[in-house]
Amino acid sequence: MKQFTVRTSAKVEMIDITERIRILLKESKIKSGVCHVFVPHTTAAVTINENADPDVPRDILMELAKIVPHNDNYRHVEGNSAAHIKASILGASETVFIENGELVLGTWQSIFFCEFDGPRSRQVIVMLTALPAPE
Ligand code: ZN
């Protein structure tokens, strides 16, 4: 199991962490297998989406804010219920296959760390599991 820190700088933001995971994959020397990315937080998430147009993450965050308003007579006294709900909508983990020593991602796909209650110092856990190469 490997782990790295993401220091977020805004209340809500999406940060492309694909290259940081690629570095861990290169170090592992795994050629074929599965990569699990897990965020051990209740107000942050991980998701895979478009990396080319920065308006895509911006639009995702804008629409999530409409679906889950910041104030809605929530009972959770900490005042960050919207962040908890957004984290559960996107989820705490993603799985990416590994082939020929590379992450199997579409041309426009990146892995994003999603902050919903920043700025904070966050952890990302990565499990790289080697599997026998297919025949
Ligand atoms: Zn809370």
Side-chain angles (χ1 to χ4, degrees), residues 42-43 76 78-81 84:
T42 60
T43 56
H76 179 48
E78 208 182 8
N80 61 354
S81 277
H84 288 292

Side-chain angles (χ1 to χ4, degrees), residues 7-8 15-17 20 32-34 43 45 62-63 66 71 73 75 77 86 93 95 100 102 106 111 122 126-127 134:
R7 189 164 292 280
T8 64
I15 297 171
D16 189 339
I17 55 171
R20 299 188 70 176
S32 181
V34 178
T43 56
M62 183 177 75
E63 292 307 300
K66 288 184 195 168
N71 296 308
N73 296 313
R75 298 180 71 162
V77 293
K86 289 173 185 175
S93 66
T95 301
N100 300 318
E102 301 286 345
I111 304 164
R122 300 290 205 172
V126 180
M127 179 70 84

